[in-house]
Amino acid sequence: MVVEIHREKYRSRVREVTLGATSAEGGTRRHIIKVGGEASLPFLHFEGEIPHPPVIAMEVWDIVPEEWPGSLRAYYEDVFADPAAWAKKCVEVYGADLIALHFKGADPDRGDATAQQCAATLQKVLRAVEVPLIVTGCGKAEMDNLIIGDLAESAAGENLLLGVAEADNYKTIATASMAYGHSLIAQSPIDINIAKQLNILISEISPPLLDRIIMDPTIAALGYGIEYSYSIMERIRLGVLGGDRMLAMPLIGNVGHEVWNKKEAVIPAAEEPSWGDQAERSMAWEAATAMTLLHSGMDMLIMRHPLAVRLIKKSIDELMEGYNYN
């Protein structure tokens, strides 16, 4: 008896976005990275093409992250004072596909770094590693607007992924991306309608930017509403496959940030003995969150813990096994 496997037929696919630029393209990266392009739900190779595997960026700050717990700091303490060395270790030792460079030092409460200082740090990191870069500010819109133009200009032609553009603060980043040849992160607060509207607003500045947007629909960590985040991303993917071109962008999630500011990841076992060893628990919390998001349709993950990164990269290889995505 022959069992016929039902296959959905979809009308459209996710846009493909390229990050980084080689010397032939006006940049200095060793290689480019392409994300998106899927014509099916996550990892259902039998239903549609999945041309590129999800990728993992590892987080680097321009200042020492004092709030990181000891179990995480132990992997980076020898390079914390030097963002370039930190980035190099993430790539060469921990296998990061990209570097996510966060300029936390631009926050007036953390260091009040100037745009020129931030641009100098960016140049050092670009010289230290040859992978594509994600570059974001300190998270305060008024400060990020002051530095993003200088950062974009100092790395003109490198095709950075700049962030973050939000509904009430998108014009500066969109304009800088358009002017200096970069891609950008469009971030929305777990709301599919706001996410779509933001893409429309960015496209009104420059229609070609639609092919340079990566959406951050805002994620939640395991135990903190991850099922709702999952449902939003699943709806986005279904909308794309159904033909909604204003949602047809790859997705990115800041996993490390969401996981490592939760008590379950940082409280030591001495305070909560029933939770088990903090080092093992926190690593597993990040890995479980990342894996859940991969199955919701996430194309890019920003992570912190090297062992969680190793687990997720191994899982991605297994999920893509036997499928030619080169």
Side-chain angles (χ1 to χ4, degrees):
M1 178 179 176
V2 177
V3 177
E4 183 177 351
I5 299 176
H6 176 73
R7 291 175 173 81
E8 292 285 351
K9 290 183 171 61
Y10 298 113
R11 296 170 51 194
S12 188
R13 63 169 61 220
V14 179
R15 293 175 190 267
E16 185 178 83
V17 176
T18 300
L19 301 175
T22 64
S23 58
E25 298 157 325
T28 60
R29 304 301 84 197
R30 183 177 66 248
H31 61 267
I32 60 173
I33 286 178
K34 293 185 177 183
V35 292
E38 300 96 334
S40 78
L41 292 173
F43 305 113
L44 299 188
H45 303 289
F46 61 89
E47 285 195 340
E49 184 185 16
I50 304 174
H52 309 294
V55 295
I56 297 177
M58 293 188 72
E59 197 170 332
V60 173
W61 290 19
D62 64 329
I63 58 173
V64 177
E66 302 290 353
E67 62 265 43
W68 287 17
S71 62
L72 182 58
R73 291 171 60 90
Y75 292 93
Y76 303 105
E77 281 185 326
D78 58 328
V79 292
F80 265 155
D82 184 350
W86 185 352
K88 191 177 180 69
K89 186 171 187 178
C90 285
V91 173
E92 296 183 357
V93 179
Y94 300 140
D97 299 312
L98 306 91
I99 291 299
L101 179 58
H102 299 323
F103 283 96
K104 299 289 188 180
D107 187 332
D109 296 327
R110 286 180 177 266
D112 203 17
T114 66
Q116 292 73 28
Q117 289 172 320
C118 293
T121 298
L122 173 57
Q123 285 299 311
K124 290 178 182 178
V125 174
L126 283 168
R127 289 193 295 269
V129 297
E130 297 178 302
V131 299
L133 263 60
I134 301 167
V135 174
T136 64
C138 64
K140 293 183 177 179
E142 65 277 11
M143 298 308 303
D144 291 348
N145 285 340
L146 294 176
I147 67 171
I148 203 68
D150 287 68
L151 292 172
E153 183 178 9
S154 72
E158 294 287 1
N159 191 12
L160 306 174
L161 180 58
L162 295 177
V164 295
E166 300 176 275
D168 58 353
N169 186 49
Y170 66 91
K171 292 183 180 179
T172 302
I173 288 179
T175 302
S177 299
M178 178 180 63
Y180 299 109
H182 302 301
S183 301
L184 71 158
I185 299 171
Q187 187 179 81
S188 51
I190 320 185
D191 186 302
I192 193 169
N193 294 315
I194 295 177
K196 182 175 179 177
Q197 181 61 25
L198 179 55
N199 292 337
I200 293 171
L201 291 171
I202 292 171
S203 72
E204 289 175 349
I205 291 178
S206 174
L209 284 178
L210 278 176
D211 294 320
R212 290 179 170 269
I213 294 173
I214 293 183
M215 294 170 57
D216 179 358
T218 308
I219 63 168
L222 181 68
Y224 284 83
I226 196 170
E227 66 280 0
Y228 186 63
S229 293
Y230 188 105
S231 70
I232 291 294
M233 286 180 281
E234 187 176 52
R235 286 175 59 199
I236 289 173
R237 176 60 62 87
L238 289 170
V240 173
L241 297 175
D244 193 333
R245 299 305 293 157
M246 283 299 170
L247 286 173
M249 291 76 180
L251 300 175
I252 186 171
N254 199 344
V255 176
H257 169 76
E258 290 297 327
V259 168
W260 289 92
N261 64 17
K262 302 299 185 291
K263 60 183 180 181
E264 286 83 356
V266 298
I267 288 180
E271 294 184 29
E272 291 286 352
S274 64
W275 291 6
D277 178 69
Q278 183 270 333
E280 182 177 358
R281 177 199 338 129
S282 56
M283 185 279 293
W285 211 275
E286 185 173 6
T289 298
M291 180 53 63
T292 302
L293 295 171
L294 282 179
H295 284 282
S296 73
M298 195 67 71
D299 296 277
M300 304 178 67
L301 304 171
I302 301 176
M303 300 181 66
R304 291 183 183 176
H305 200 298
L307 298 186
V309 169
R310 183 189 302 173
L311 283 173
I312 296 303
K313 287 179 72 71
K314 182 175 184 294
S315 296
I316 290 171
D317 289 342
E318 292 172 351
L319 288 164
M320 298 297 292
E321 188 176 1
Y323 186 79
N324 182 16
Y325 51 83
N326 294 316

